[in-house]
Amino acid sequence: MRSPIPDYLNQVLDTCGADGSGELAAYIPELAEADPDRFALALATVDGTVYGVGDDEVEFSIQSISKPFAYALALAQHGLDRVLEKVGVEPSGDAFNELSLEVDTGRPLNPMINAGALTVHALIDDETVRRGFSAFAGRELEVDEEVFTSELETADRNRAIAFMLRSHGIVEEDAQEVVEGYTRQCSVLVTVRDLALMAATLANGGVQPVTGQRVVPHEVTRQVMAVMATCGMYDAAGDWFSSVGIPAKSGVAGGLIGALPGQAGLATFSPRLDRHGNSVRGVQVFERLSRDMGMHLMEVPPPARSLVRGRTALPGGRPGHGWTYELQGSVNFVGMERVLRYLADEPPTESTVVLDLTRVHEVRDIGRRMLIEAVRRLVLDGHQVTIVDPEDMLEAFPDDHADGDLDAGDGVAVPVLRRR
Ligand code: GLU
């Protein structure tokens, strides 16, 4: 069978391709020369498959889409507290190049506007940027020297911002050098395929889906995607998050990325921009994808069924019966709360209790800790507890074959079996 996904993506390009409205970014001479009709879309899954359609191999400068990745690298290098001292996380509601700083602290409001991005850039060196971006993309990326020179010649506004940051003591480095480095960061050449993989690396918790390299720590990606969700689309961030609901970032060369946590990275390229500086057709594509594929993050999932219980034969061919609780779906906080409530309201009436995880597809850290606490309390109440965990969700097995023990604390060791 031929996968229908590229056909679907091509169809999305066809339907959104007709709109010729919007303007090229004119304030950077080299960008004003771009071919306005270029149009591309790519989707990268967190397990490393990339679908690209249209002009998906055409390179363009990354521009402001560099901001979340530079922010990620700064967070990885310095930690959240140090970075927060310099740059806040509040949406500004202003244009990307506004000379705005927080009134009491002098910090730029967020890392997605230029004031914040210049400050973030000053925290990392050029080599970190080049190597880091390449690691996110999974290939060596290069700078477009023409775009770089062209933008640097007309970068007076960014110079003004950098000098203002220095005057507030937020940036200590040489203002001209910071602008130069930041402009270089914005001139890195990418395709939509690169961008989709860079976004997928964020969506995958910091591990590049194709190379398997851990680029940034897991907690960094949560911070970056949260800031993309609230501040990524310039002064249209609220509009964007309610209609599309995907953490995103746009750039003035016409690129647009979205990172859907745990699922995929998306990227479009179409150079004509709306009055906020976001790609006109890119926004349309994202609206369409979000609607068709149910990608809005605030979409409420169907309620999870978390527990069935009953009296069954004991696992492992042991004689006798036990009171079995069969857990289902995701063992997260809400799922385990229901389990704990059942156990508290209607305690098991037989001394042998079996917790069966055969139909569980995911165990979150909080769910694991709640489950272990439930086990510990059942044992202290005098029950004999056995856990059935064929997929080793609790990571209790010493190797692939043997049954194991779960240390529930207070000297309580609970047998974990592979089979019912
Ligand atoms: N290099 C551009 C600037 O600083 C990036 C702006 C953007 O992509 O929004 O003006």
Side-chain angles (χ1 to χ4, degrees), residues 42-64:
L43 182 154
T45 62
V46 290
D47 62 359
T49 299
V50 185
Y51 301 94
V53 294
D55 298 314
D56 64 330
E57 284 174 9
V58 171
E59 292 189 318
F60 53 94
S61 55
I62 188 168
Q63 297 299 338
S64 276

Side-chain angles (χ1 to χ4, degrees), residues 344-412:
D345 290 352
E346 286 171 58
T349 50
E350 307 213 6
S351 75
T352 307
V353 173
V354 180
L355 295 173
D356 187 347
L357 309 189
T358 306
R359 296 167 76 167
V360 164
H361 65 71
E362 166 190 61
V363 176
R364 296 281 178 104
D365 182 53
I366 179 64
R368 184 178 199 274
R369 285 185 282 140
M370 289 165 86
L371 184 75
I372 289 173
E373 182 58 16
V375 167
R376 198 181 66 87
R377 290 185 182 217
L378 286 169
V379 171
L380 293 179
D381 284 352
H383 293 286
Q384 259 187 305
V385 182
T386 301
I387 296 174
V388 179
D389 182 14
E391 300 294 331
D392 199 13
M393 292 287 197
L394 297 176
E395 292 169 18
F397 299 136
D399 61 54
D400 268 2
H401 306 290
D403 293 341
D405 269 344
L406 186 81
D407 175 8
D410 288 343
V412 175

Side-chain angles (χ1 to χ4, degrees), residues 54-384:
D55 298 314
D56 64 330
E57 284 174 9
V58 171
E59 292 189 318
F60 53 94
S61 55
I62 188 168
Q63 297 299 338
S64 276
I65 302 172
S66 65
K67 292 169 180 173
F69 299 102
Y71 185 49
L73 296 170
L75 289 168
Q77 186 174 333
H78 299 287
L80 180 59
D81 291 347
R82 170 91 206 288
V83 176
L84 279 180
E85 279 169 22
K86 299 270 182 190
V87 188
V89 288
E90 285 306 325
S92 72
D94 290 328
F96 70 98
N97 57 2
E98 196 59 40
L99 278 84
S100 60
L101 299 181
E102 212 169 62
V103 184
D104 46 347
T105 61
R107 291 182 310 175
L109 286 161
N110 69 68
M112 301 295 131
I113 54 172
N114 285 13
L118 286 157
T119 308
V120 165
H121 184 85
L123 292 172
I124 46 181
D125 59 45
D126 287 358
E127 186 52 18
T128 305
V129 171
R130 199 197 57 77
R131 273 206 303 183
F133 285 16
S134 298
F136 271 112
R139 73 171 181 110
E140 287 300 304
L141 299 178
E142 280 165 23
V143 167
D144 184 329
E145 294 296 334
E146 261 133 53
V147 170
F148 168 66
T149 316
S150 170
E151 182 169 351
L152 199 60
E153 274 166 13
T154 54
D156 288 340
R157 196 169 177 108
N158 283 338
R159 287 192 188 91
I161 297 174
F163 279 111
M164 181 185 67
L165 289 164
R166 258 185 72 88
S167 79
H168 281 81
I170 298 290
V171 164
E172 282 150 36
E173 292 71 10
D174 182 86
Q176 303 275 17
E177 271 174 34
V178 172
V179 172
E180 201 175 312
Y182 163 76
T183 307
R184 196 163 266 289
Q185 166 192 317
C186 289
S187 307
V188 168
L189 283 171
V190 287
T191 65
V192 280
R193 301 179 76 92
D194 294 324
L195 287 179
L197 275 169
M198 292 173 84
T201 304
L202 293 176
N204 195 33
V207 174
Q208 215 279 0
V210 175
T211 63
Q213 184 187 349
R214 170 160 294 288
V215 184
V216 289
H218 193 278
E219 63 274 16
V220 162
T221 59
R222 189 183 71 179
Q223 177 73 11
V224 173
M225 288 188 283
V227 173
M228 286 165 70
T230 51
C231 315
M233 294 298 278
Y234 306 123
D235 40 343
D239 236 359
W240 172 268
F241 202 68
S242 54
S243 64
V244 178
I246 299 175
K249 186 73 202 86
S250 63
V252 287
L256 178 54
I257 62 163
L260 207 60
Q263 295 192 52
L266 299 161
T268 56
F269 173 49
S270 173
R272 279 186 285 252
L273 310 178
D274 63 19
R275 66 188 169 85
H276 302 288
N278 297 324
S279 164
V280 173
R281 294 189 296 187
V283 170
Q284 286 179 14
V285 169
F286 270 81
E287 282 172 351
R288 171 85 196 267
L289 293 179
S290 167
R291 211 175 38 238
D292 287 358
M293 302 205 254
M295 284 178 163
H296 199 299
L297 271 190
M298 294 302 137
E299 191 64 54
V300 178
R305 288 178 53 219
S306 59
L307 189 72
V308 253
R309 51 197 173 130
R311 192 166 180 271
T312 50
L314 290 184
R318 284 183 291 153
H321 283 88
W323 198 239
T324 294
Y325 294 86
E326 195 179 340
L327 279 61
Q328 297 187 341
S330 174
V331 176
N332 54 19
F333 174 81
V334 174
M336 269 315 293
E337 185 278 333
R338 290 171 93 182
V339 174
L340 297 181
R341 190 152 30 105
Y342 278 126
L343 289 169
D345 290 352
E346 286 171 58
T349 50
E350 307 213 6
S351 75
T352 307
V353 173
V354 180
L355 295 173
D356 187 347
L357 309 189
T358 306
R359 296 167 76 167
V360 164
H361 65 71
E362 166 190 61
V363 176
R364 296 281 178 104
D365 182 53
I366 179 64
R368 184 178 199 274
R369 285 185 282 140
M370 289 165 86
L371 184 75
I372 289 173
E373 182 58 16
V375 167
R376 198 181 66 87
R377 290 185 182 217
L378 286 169
V379 171
L380 293 179
D381 284 352
H383 293 286
Q384 259 187 305

